[in-house]
Every structure is written in C-alpha cells, then in structure tokens.
Amino acid sequence: MAAISKIATGNGHGENSPYFDGWKAYEANPFHPIDRPDGVIQMGLAENQLSFDFIEKWLMEHPESSLCTAEGVDKFKETALFQDYHGLPEFRQAVAKFMGKVRGDRVKFDSDRIVMSGGATGAHEMLAFCLVDPGEALLVPTPYYPGFDRDLRWRTGVELVPVVCESTNDFMITIDALEAAYLKAQEAKLRVKGLLITNPSNPLGTFMNKETLNNIVRFVNEKNIHLISDEIYAATVFMEPEFVSISEIIEEVECNRDLIHIVYSLSKDMGFPGFRVGIVYSYNDVVTNCARKMSSFGLVSSQTQQLIASMLSDDDFIDNFVSDSKDRLFKRHKYFTWSLAQVGIGSLNSNAGLFIWMDLRKLLKEKTFDAEMELWRVIIDDVKLNVSPGSSFHCHEPGWFRVCFANMDDNTMEVALSRIRNFMVKHNETVVPPRNKLWRRTSLKLSLSRRMDDFIMSPSILSPQSPLPQSPLVRART
Amino acid sequence: MGVLSRKATCNSHGQDSSYFLGWQEYEKNPYDEVTNPHGIIQMGLAENQLSFDLLESWLAKNPDAASFRRDGQSIFKELALFQDYHGLPAFKNALVDFMAEIRGNKVTFDPNHIVLTAGATSANETLMFCLAEQGDAFLLPTPYYPGFDRDLKWRTGVEIVPIECTSSNRFQITASALEKAYEQAQKKNLRVKGVLVTNPSNPLGTSMTRDELDLLVNFISDKEIHLISDEIYSGTVFSSPAFVSIMEVLKDRNLEKTEVWERVHIVYSLSKDLGLPGFRVGAIYSNDPIVVAAATKMSSFGLVSSQTQYLLSAMLSDKKFTKEYIAKNHKRLQKRRSKLVAGLEKAGIGCLESNAGLFCWVDMRHLLSSDTFEAEMELWKRIVYDVKLNISPGSSCHCIEPGWFRVCFANMSEDTLKLAMQRLKSFVGSIAVNDRSHRDLKNSRRKFRTKWVFRLSFQSFHDREQDER
C-alpha cells in the first residue's frame, strides 16, 4: 500500500501536547451557565471577546462594508474576482495605518511591504520557508506559544532551540541566555538562521523594554541572523508603559534592516481569528517578494479584505475601539489578578495580552514537571478549568500556568473565580483569614458581584501598585 | 544580509515562465473599451465572469448571508471567533451537496471527508505534503496548468514527471504514455508516489473518457500509488459527453472500501464553477481517514475565512438557486465557447474539440515558421506585442508539440471577444501577405519594402476593423 508521507503520519502537528489535552477535556464537557453549569470553563483560549459590541455597532452603521449588501453589491464582482497576491491596495493601506496607530504613530509602515498570510500561523510557516533550510534552526525564548512547534517545524523541517528564560528575572531575555542557546545549537551542529521573539509575550503577558530589544538587535546583527518579531498582541497592551515595537528600535539603533521581519494578525487585537488575517512585514526586499509569492498558499479572502479595509480606514472608530478595548482588558486583568491574590495566588506582573502567567509553584508536591501535570489534572478534572500548563510552553521551571481571562463574560469569570477560591480553601493548610469564611458557595454569587462592583468603582485599580493584602501562604508576585 | 533559504532564492515559484510574462505585459497595457481600446486583451486568465448577475441577484434576495446575520440576528461574534479547522459544518454539508449535484448525483460525498483549504492552490500543495516525501515524484499528463510547477514542487521538494500526450489521439492518456513516464521517473531514481490529473483538463477543456479513467485506476492499482483528481472545472462541463468523476468509476467497478479507494483524492474549488477566485475556497476530498486527519491539521496554514464560509453555506444550501445556476452557467459557457470557435474558424484557426472549461486549446501549428518551440515563442511574442492578445503558449503548459495555445473565453464581454477575434483574423491575414512578399522579393531593399508593406496592410486591416465596429 502506497505509504503517505512521514510528515502526515508523524507527530509534528504537535497536537499530542497537553496544551491540546485540556481543550479536548473542555470539548467533551463545555461549561454553559444554564445547560452545563458544572462543565469545564475554557481558560486555555487566548481570545479577545470583550469588545464585540463595538464592532457590531459599527457594522450596523456601515452596511456598505459588507460588499454583498445592497449598499456594497456593486463591488461584489470586482472583489470576488480579485485573487492578486499583492492584496487589495485599500486593505494593505488600512492595515499599514492600523499597525502605525497601534504603535502610537511613532513609526510608519509601508503598505507595499504588507504581505498576506493564512493567519499568523501561515505567516510563521511562510517566514520559516523563506529564511531557513531544512535541518537549520531558529532560537526561541521560553516559555513560548506551543503552536510554534507546528508552525515553524512541521512541514519545513526547521529545528527550534530554546533560549532559556527564568523567573528570577521575570523571564526577561538576557544576553547570556541568547549566547548560551547559540552555543548549544552549534554544539548540536545546527546552523542558526534566526531568532523569533513574541512581543508582547505569549504566555507571559509582558513586553520587552528598550534595553532588551537593543541587546537583541545587537545580538542578531553580530551573528548575522534574522530577527522575527511576532507582534500579534501589540494592541493588547492595556497599561503603561507603552509598547515598544522592533520597528521603532531599528530607527534608533544601528541595524541591518534586511534581518528584520514582523509577524502580525488581527486575531488578538481585533478578536477576529475566524477571518484569517495574517501579515508578514519584512524590511528585506527579497524576503518580501518571496513571501508574497508564497502567500498564494494562504491569501486572505477578498471578501474579508474588503471588510477589514473598510473598518480599519475609519479612523475615529479605530481610535476609540483600541482605547476602549484596552480599557476593558485592563479592568478584566486587574479584577482577575486581584481576586487571585485574595486567595494567595500570584502571577507574573503583566500589562499586556489576554492571559496571565499564574504562579502555582507553591502548590506543587515537588519541583517537577510530573507534579505540575498532576496539579494540572486536578485543575481540569476537579476544579473544571482548562488552563495551560507551563510545560506545554517549554517553560524550564515547573509550576507556572497560563490562564486566559478575555474569552468569557463577567458571569463566567465569577464562576471560574469561585471555583478557584473553593479549591484554594480546600488546599490551604494554614488558617484562612476570617473574611474568607464569608465566601461560601451559597452566598458566593451575591458577594462576588458586589465585590466586582466595589472593585470596579475602587480608585485602587488605577494604580498598578495597589496596596492589596497578601496571603501569608503564597508570596504573590503582583 | 542574513542568508535566506534555498527556496527563497531559487526559481521553483515558476514565475519566470512565459505564462506569467504575458500577464506582466498585459498589466502594463491592459485593454479597456473606453480608456485603452488598443491595449492588450487578456485571454490568458481562466476566470468565469459569465454568471455574476445570478450571484448578485441571489445576494440581493438574501442580505443576511453576507451581513453576518442569521434569521435577522447578528452572528458576527460567532463567525469572527470561528477558527476550527474542521470548518463550518453547514458549509461543508452544502459543499458536498453541490459537488454531488455537479456530478448528476451519481455519487455522494461525506462531509467528514472534506478538508477546506485556501483555494485549490493550497489543496494541491497540502496533498503533496501528505502523500510524498521530498524527492518523490508525481506523474502529470501534459499539457498541464503551469501553476502546478509551483503548487506541487516549490516548498514540498516533490518532482513532476510528465506523461506525454499528443494531438495524435486528442491528447488522451494512454497506457504506454503512463508506463513511459513511470520508467522515466525510475531512471532518474525518483520514487513515484502517484498520478495527478486535472479532469476536466486545463488547458485542454476536455473531460476524461471512461476508458482513460479506467486506465488510470488500473495503473494506480498495479503500481500501488495514489491518484489525485483535480476536478476544479467539474462544474463547467457544458456539453456532452457528461462529466464522469473518478468516484463514479470506482463505484461502478465496486472498488469502494478497497485499497485503491483510499488512494484516490479529489481537489475542488469554487474559483471556476462559481467564479469566486478571490474568496479562496478550496477543498480536498479523500477516502483515506489518515490523509483527511493530516490535511485537516495542515489546513491551519490556509483556512477559509469564516465570513466566506458562512456566505457560501447559505448560497449553496439554496438548492433552487444551485440548480438554476448550474444550468444557466453551462448554457452561457457553451454559447461563449461557440463564439470563440467561430471567430477562430474565420481566421482559419482550429482548436481541440472540447466540452468543458473556460478556454479552448487552439491549434496554431500552421502559423509557425518551423516546427519548434522557438517558433512558438516567436509567434507568441507577436500575438502579445503586435496583435495585443495575451494567450498562453503551449510550452508554458509543458506541451510536447509546439504550436498549441490556450485561449480563454469566459473572462471578458462578448464585444471584447469579438474584437479579439477580429485582431486575430487580421493578423493571420497579414502573415499570409508577408509570406507571399517574402517569396517574391530577393534583395534587402525589397526586404525593407516588405516591412513597410506588412505594416501598411496590417494598418489598413485595422482601419477596416474600426469601420466594422
């Protein structure tokens, strides 16, 4: 029988990772407030669901943006036929403008460098094909998004070498870590072609400061390797300081621009993962041309290009949307981390992304990944929350979990928090502060909603350094 | 600069081929009835522009489908978040029904065996990744769609070995051609993983006979290899013989659930039948669940926009509409093809008898100065630059006989087609004049006069043309 390829039958798709096991548990028993109140709550999905009402309102006010309505139908034929891999000019211009806005208009993007791809997933694979040959390697700081194992390696034959980051310095990338990774690759006889960073970071929810970025730029120039900066979470930076993009750094620091490439997408900032709008922005002309040809394998539907062009060109709407979206993310993040802190759960101090990097090291039976998996199983099976274990992100220290907070409504968030509180109450071995006794399941909902209103109204949420009581149990990192 | 990959620096993207050069020339000087009446007419683009009015009228009657609404309620959020690579169930159901309808409902398709991809471009590449290793080969009958050189080979590292077909039997696949190709591959130390056919054929515009399909089934059984049937033009079969899908043949031969059954895969798309290439809707249909599973995961690299899936699920679920569309579309394609064929005849040019597709396979062998590909290129350049028609030379489709050209007919208005035919007729007429002049004259002065005579006669034909309009 004719065999199928090794790629097809192997595990390179990465779906046997625990990252996906939790999803499967969720799919088997998904939470629903009425039909399945004891189901698993999905906290493993980094989606931005907080601001759809703004978009829906805009759509109602702009029927012509959907080219198939009476108002937009005269564009139907032209759009339906448009398969040019350069992309609709209006689409490219609107995306370039949006990318500039998200960076405070401190840099301008050239619409001719905007290349489409099948989501950021397609963009990463495409760049790997353009920059790296099979058997060569990319350096990636840990912890990193599990999808990279598939996107960068599966069909390309490229290897990934981790740049190990540690909690001792908040997982920041150091020159030492970069050099160590480079050396390790060389020892393994792997030729390093580039470094991939995700900034703001998934799963950390933090972004890099100028010093780190400058070091990175210096490093790649010195080694003459490429730098891919995945900035998919750029507009989810909900708190000061402002995000600094690689596009800004290269204006200030000496750099060979042919090495610099940005990956972007509308899946997180706008909340449109279904529309598959991925972007490759390279400062290298040869790469731009090659990527453009490759984009044939994952062009953005012209129907969607038309919609996006229309929406992103509406300056007033977009300005308001971005700031409103950040505001909602900020509130949700603050409430979530504050609530966790109340029960002695800390997380990495973060100001971006759709998730927190939760610190459960103190809950591990021992400092091992087996213990992490054990704890994770308890969280999925008993607490009924799908969270993502740090090991699936290749974190070098056990005990960290990525927990998403922007993909559910307020009620679901409350249910999730109450489950966490109950879990912590059960597992607390020392005396629980008296006020916690009030948080029994029966009175939970009422007290929680009151607490949330109090929280939202409280001026303390405006200060990142709010003096919140810390549990003696866990030295929280808020 | 940091060194790039070999893929980035090689030519396997195939864009240096003449197929694309003609497009480039067209883009520099595109014909427009009003603003550029002497520009190049695009006849190298296999698009179906004949039935948009039907689509537009459906849209006008069904505004919800494109406005993110279902039963008057907004489902924007649901669609915006939907990135499941299994695809929208309603869309897959509608798509398999449509595919069955195109095949006269003689076969049915299981929506669980369909994988949605970003166009047939992505479907074909994905199948290569699933079925072949780098360095393996697929056999393709020539002439074939130039895009395959990129889609099947570029990033996959797979090789294509041609199954040579000739005009002696209307370019049909023969057993000996198949064997010859297989041996060729072996001589090159290439492991053959399968055969890929386009049925109906691009560029021939013909659908495969049952004999050819039987031959293929026998061949892949014997060699234990895969068969990919790219049926992207299945909805454009406008006259007899009726389209016979590979699935029908397998069914008729009681080969369902056998080994061979699992080695047959179909590629489909809505780019040609519905004329929606911009929407990037492709599909892989496989009887092998392992291939389906692998291809589904790979589709992450090129999913169909949920916005588009929803619109098309509504459209294709409207059975009244699909029935009417298929019938009317066929009629229009048939009529338009007849006009092209008639126009070519007036210019003394014949073409392969065809019953499908958006183009004709035109025979200009008699216009070649010699039976060579150089002469074909020479003729092609004159047609692009002087006659101002972008047509596709057979060599770009890997045809082994010089003198054949693919000429599209469904991507322009009737008037534009008429004009194109007039230009062609004039050109052919002027070649005749030129030939006579060459034979009569002996020295360089006369040669100079020839050029002048050629231009004049061409010009006067051209002036007459204007009067006729």
Side-chain angles (χ1 to χ4, degrees):
Chain A
M1 158 94 166
I4 25 194
S5 70
K6 294 202 245 317
I7 288 177
T9 49
N11 280 335
H13 50 70
E15 283 191 26
N16 298 334
S17 138
Y19 183 72
F20 296 100
D21 277 353
W23 285 36
K24 291 171 194 160
Y26 165 76
E27 260 145 39
N29 183 22
F31 170 80
H32 185 274
I34 299 160
D35 302 336
R36 264 212 187 100
D38 294 321
V40 176
I41 296 179
Q42 177 61 288
M43 302 192 87
L45 197 49
E47 277 176 355
N48 184 355
Q49 292 194 27
L50 304 186
S51 303
F52 278 115
D53 52 327
F54 293 129
I55 312 266
E56 277 161 352
K57 179 161 179 279
W58 185 90
L59 284 170
M60 283 214 307
E61 291 164 5
H62 297 84
E64 74 289 354
S65 67
S66 163
L67 54 78
C68 308
T69 57
E71 289 85 353
V73 82
D74 50 330
K75 280 209 169 114
F76 177 73
K77 176 174 163 177
E78 190 186 310
T79 306
L81 287 171
F82 189 86
Q83 57 172 330
D84 181 352
Y85 59 30
H86 289 88
L88 282 175
E90 318 80 272
F91 168 76
R92 282 185 287 115
Q93 282 151 20
V95 170
K97 192 161 67 147
F98 181 70
M99 286 173 70
K101 265 189 207 285
V102 164
R103 289 153 185 76
D105 283 318
R106 291 181 296 273
V107 277
K108 264 180 101 77
F109 289 89
D110 177 358
S111 65
D112 288 336
R113 288 194 180 280
I114 299 279
V115 172
M116 297 180 286
S117 60
T121 301
H124 279 293
E125 193 196 41
M126 198 153 83
L127 273 176
F129 272 127
C130 286
L131 305 177
V132 196
D133 282 322
E136 296 179 336
L138 288 171
L139 305 181
V140 193
T142 65
Y144 65 78
Y145 162 58
F148 283 158
D149 290 324
R150 170 198 61 195
D151 302 348
L152 300 166
R153 298 185 324 170
W154 190 20
R155 306 190 306 182
T156 60
V158 167
E159 301 283 349
L160 295 184
V161 175
V163 176
V164 179
C165 300
E166 289 164 343
S167 61
T168 45
N169 72 337
D170 290 347
F171 297 95
M172 293 206 308
I173 301 170
T174 62
I175 299 177
D176 285 344
L178 288 168
E179 291 289 353
Y182 191 83
L183 187 60
K184 201 155 180 228
Q186 293 194 307
E187 281 162 9
K189 303 241 184 320
L190 291 171
R191 184 176 170 197
V192 175
K193 291 304 279 297
L195 167 66
L196 165 66
I197 58 175
T198 307
N199 184 29
S201 161
N202 173 13
L204 304 175
T206 54
F207 58 80
M208 295 173 197
N209 57 29
K210 271 200 181 179
E211 192 192 329
T212 307
L213 286 168
N214 287 343
N215 288 340
I216 285 172
V217 167
R218 238 172 269 125
F219 176 78
V220 301
N221 274 273
E222 204 182 285
K223 304 278 193 262
N224 195 30
I225 60 175
H226 294 280
L227 176 62
I228 302 171
S229 181
D230 182 348
E231 301 190 349
I232 194 176
Y233 291 99
T236 68
V237 177
F238 49 75
M239 206 156 68
E240 299 275 292
E242 281 211 73
F243 170 62
V244 179
S245 160
I246 195 68
S247 55
E248 295 170 63
I249 297 291
I250 60 175
E251 298 293 334
E252 295 168 8
V253 168
E254 199 174 313
C255 177
N256 174 4
R257 288 183 177 220
D258 279 340
L259 301 175
I260 310 295
H261 324 276
I262 295 178
V263 164
Y264 188 56
S265 160
L266 298 182
S267 301
K268 311 294 178 184
D269 290 350
M270 297 297 293
F272 297 162
F275 296 166
R276 316 314 301 149
V277 182
I279 301 291
V280 167
Y281 189 94
S282 172
Y283 290 88
N284 179 321
D285 290 344
V286 176
V287 173
T288 301
N289 285 327
C290 177
R292 195 180 286 124
K293 293 180 177 69
M294 280 192 187
S295 69
S296 298
F297 298 110
L299 295 173
V300 176
S301 167
S302 54
Q303 180 194 12
T304 301
Q305 288 186 52
Q306 190 61 47
L307 171 73
I308 299 299
S310 194
M311 197 184 287
L312 298 190
S313 307
D314 186 340
D315 285 328
D316 289 334
F317 168 70
I318 287 298
D319 288 338
N320 289 332
F321 175 83
V322 171
S323 79
D324 288 340
S325 172
K326 287 184 188 199
D327 192 45
R328 289 183 178 184
L329 287 170
F330 169 73
K331 290 191 171 112
R332 181 59 77 83
H333 170 270
K334 215 66 206 117
Y335 179 60
F336 188 51
T337 50
W338 176 81
S339 306
L340 291 176
Q342 293 298 290
V343 290
I345 295 177
S347 58
L348 186 68
N349 209 8
S350 65
N351 62 338
L354 309 173
F355 33 72
I356 57 160
W357 190 232
M358 191 165 70
D359 183 357
L360 296 183
R361 287 176 295 172
K362 298 290 188 207
L363 297 185
L364 294 184
K365 292 212 174 108
E366 45 184 30
K367 274 199 200 136
T368 63
F369 286 108
D370 284 339
E372 180 183 281
M373 277 295 110
E374 209 184 296
L375 175 58
W376 178 65
R377 280 252 89 91
V378 166
I379 298 174
I380 299 250
D381 298 335
D382 299 349
V383 192
K384 300 243 176 53
L385 301 177
N386 178 29
V387 300
S388 313
S391 49
S392 67
F393 293 85
H394 302 277
C395 186
H396 272 236
E397 294 171 37
W400 294 89
F401 291 78
R402 189 191 76 172
V403 185
C404 299
F405 58 73
N407 63 310
M408 63 194 72
D409 59 25
D410 290 336
N411 289 331
T412 310
M413 167 68 40
E414 293 299 348
V415 176
L417 283 170
S418 73
R419 289 182 187 180
I420 293 172
R421 284 188 195 106
N422 288 342
F423 171 70
M424 288 306 287
V425 159
K426 276 191 222 145
H427 280 79
N428 272 353
E429 281 164 15
T430 62
V431 174
V432 173
R435 90 178 83 166
N436 289 352
K437 283 186 186 154
L438 287 175
W439 296 351
R440 280 177 227 262
R441 206 174 287 193
T442 46
S443 57
L444 223 42
K445 269 203 184 115
L446 196 59
S447 53
L448 280 173
S449 52
R450 248 195 267 131
R451 281 225 90 89
M452 176 147 79
D453 291 338
D454 290 345
F455 176 82
I456 300 294
M457 299 306 286
S458 155
S460 71
I461 63 167
L462 298 170
S463 156
Q465 264 81 45
S466 69
L468 301 170
Q470 309 263 314
S471 155
L473 245 198
V474 177
R475 211 138 301 170
R477 286 171 145 277
T478 43
Chain B
M1 69 166 148
V3 179
L4 306 181
S5 68
R6 282 190 283 272
K7 287 181 182 71
T9 45
C10 70
N11 277 337
S12 301
H13 51 71
Q15 273 195 218
D16 299 334
S17 135
S18 50
Y19 182 72
F20 296 101
L21 291 173
W23 283 36
Q24 283 164 26
E25 279 314 302
Y26 163 77
E27 254 141 46
K28 285 186 210 158
N29 181 20
Y31 167 80
D32 181 279
E33 202 179 342
V34 177
T35 59
N36 192 17
H38 299 300
I40 299 179
I41 296 176
Q42 176 64 285
M43 302 192 88
L45 195 50
E47 276 176 357
N48 183 357
Q49 291 195 25
L50 305 187
S51 303
F52 272 107
D53 56 321
L54 302 175
L55 298 172
E56 282 159 357
S57 101
W58 186 89
L59 288 168
K61 293 188 206 134
N62 297 273
D64 272 9
S67 338
F68 304 102
R69 304 183 84 77
R70 188 199 288 135
D71 303 326
Q73 296 295 316
S74 169
I75 53 164
F76 179 80
K77 176 173 163 176
E78 188 187 313
L79 288 175
L81 290 171
F82 187 84
Q83 57 172 329
D84 182 353
Y85 57 28
H86 291 101
L88 212 59
F91 177 51
K92 290 204 300 183
N93 289 337
L95 185 60
V96 299
D97 283 349
F98 186 65
M99 287 170 69
E101 200 178 342
I102 284 174
R103 289 156 183 72
N105 287 311
K106 290 188 223 127
V107 281
T108 55
F109 295 93
D110 178 352
N112 293 320
H113 283 254
I114 261 241
V115 180
L116 301 174
T117 61
T121 299
S122 178
N124 281 312
E125 190 197 44
T126 298
L127 272 175
M128 287 300 106
F129 275 123
C130 287
L131 304 178
E133 311 292 347
Q134 233 186 37
D136 285 344
F138 258 77
L139 309 181
L140 266 67
T142 64
Y144 64 75
Y145 161 58
F148 282 151
D149 290 321
R150 171 198 61 194
D151 302 348
L152 305 178
K153 301 194 316 180
W154 189 16
R155 306 190 308 178
T156 61
V158 170
E159 300 285 347
I160 294 177
V161 174
I163 300 165
E164 290 170 349
C165 302
T166 66
S167 57
S168 59
N169 72 338
R170 292 184 299 122
F171 296 94
Q172 287 184 25
I173 299 172
T174 63
S176 61
L178 282 165
E179 287 296 340
K180 187 171 165 219
Y182 193 84
E183 277 157 35
Q184 259 292 89
Q186 295 198 305
K187 272 194 204 126
K188 291 183 176 172
N189 278 324
L190 296 169
R191 184 171 64 158
V192 175
K193 290 312 282 292
V195 178
L196 186 150
V197 299
T198 308
N199 180 27
S201 161
N202 173 12
L204 303 175
T206 53
S207 59
M208 284 188 170
T209 62
R210 219 171 250 274
D211 285 344
E212 280 176 286
L213 291 166
D214 277 330
L215 197 58
L216 281 169
V217 171
N218 296 341
F219 184 74
I220 65 158
S221 291
D222 179 45
K223 303 284 191 254
E224 290 182 24
I225 59 179
H226 296 275
L227 175 62
I228 300 173
S229 181
D230 183 344
E231 301 188 350
I232 192 176
Y233 289 97
S234 47
T236 67
V237 178
F238 47 75
S239 65
S240 63
F243 176 62
V244 180
S245 164
I246 188 70
M247 289 301 178
E248 208 185 314
V249 168
L250 291 170
K251 197 174 154 202
D252 291 347
R253 287 172 61 165
N254 290 320
L255 291 170
E256 276 160 304
K257 313 297 182 218
T258 60
E259 260 187 38
V260 122
W261 172 255
E262 288 196 347
R263 277 191 266 114
V264 174
H265 323 278
I266 290 181
V267 165
Y268 187 54
S269 159
L270 298 179
S271 301
K272 310 295 178 184
D273 293 349
L274 286 188
L276 306 173
F279 288 2
R280 313 315 300 145
V281 183
I284 293 170
Y285 187 90
S286 175
N287 293 315
D288 182 345
I290 300 178
V291 172
V292 172
T296 300
K297 294 177 176 71
M298 286 189 192
S299 68
S300 298
F301 300 111
L303 297 173
V304 178
S305 170
S306 57
Q307 178 192 19
T308 302
Q309 288 190 54
Y310 180 63
L311 168 64
L312 294 173
S313 73
M315 190 185 281
L316 296 183
S317 303
D318 184 344
K319 306 288 188 215
K320 187 159 170 269
F321 167 74
T322 55
K323 192 167 174 204
E324 187 197 333
Y325 180 91
I326 290 172
K328 283 195 172 150
N329 188 37
H330 284 174
K331 278 208 182 79
R332 293 173 183 191
L333 287 170
Q334 181 172 37
K335 191 167 164 219
R336 184 57 74 84
R337 178 197 174 268
S338 310
K339 289 226 170 335
L340 172 65
V341 171
L344 290 170
E345 258 172 37
K346 285 203 188 95
I349 298 174
C351 59
L352 188 69
E353 186 144 345
S354 63
N355 65 329
L358 310 173
F359 32 73
C360 282
W361 190 233
V362 175
D363 185 355
M364 297 203 204
R365 288 176 293 175
H366 59 296
L367 299 176
L368 294 183
S369 58
S370 63
D371 185 23
T372 63
F373 286 109
E374 286 77 25
E376 181 185 279
M377 273 298 109
E378 207 184 287
L379 176 59
W380 176 69
K381 281 191 183 127
R382 289 175 79 185
I383 296 177
V384 172
Y385 295 105
D386 299 344
V387 190
K388 302 235 174 52
L389 303 178
N390 178 33
I391 62 177
S392 312
S395 49
S396 70
C397 303
H398 301 278
C399 186
I400 59 167
E401 290 175 30
W404 293 89
F405 291 79
R406 189 190 79 169
V407 181
C408 299
F409 57 71
N411 64 310
M412 65 195 73
S413 71
E414 220 175 288
D415 284 342
T416 310
L417 180 62
K418 201 170 163 198
L419 173 62
M421 292 301 98
Q422 283 161 356
R423 286 186 188 178
L424 199 53
K425 187 168 169 224
S426 309
F427 169 68
V428 172
S430 69
I431 289 183
V433 166
N434 210 23
D435 281 351
R436 270 204 301 282
S437 308
H438 264 295
R439 277 201 298 277
D440 295 346
L441 297 171
K442 283 167 191 172
N443 58 41
S444 57
R445 274 185 71 216
R446 285 174 184 154
K447 275 185 191 153
F448 171 76
R449 212 188 306 147
T450 302
K451 281 194 190 136
W452 176 78
V453 165
F454 167 72
R455 279 215 184 91
L456 189 62
S457 36
F458 182 77
Q459 192 58 43
S460 65
F461 274 122
H462 195 70
D463 292 341
R464 269 213 290 283
E465 200 184 285
Q466 303 279 49
D467 293 338
E468 275 163 24
R469 284 211 288 156

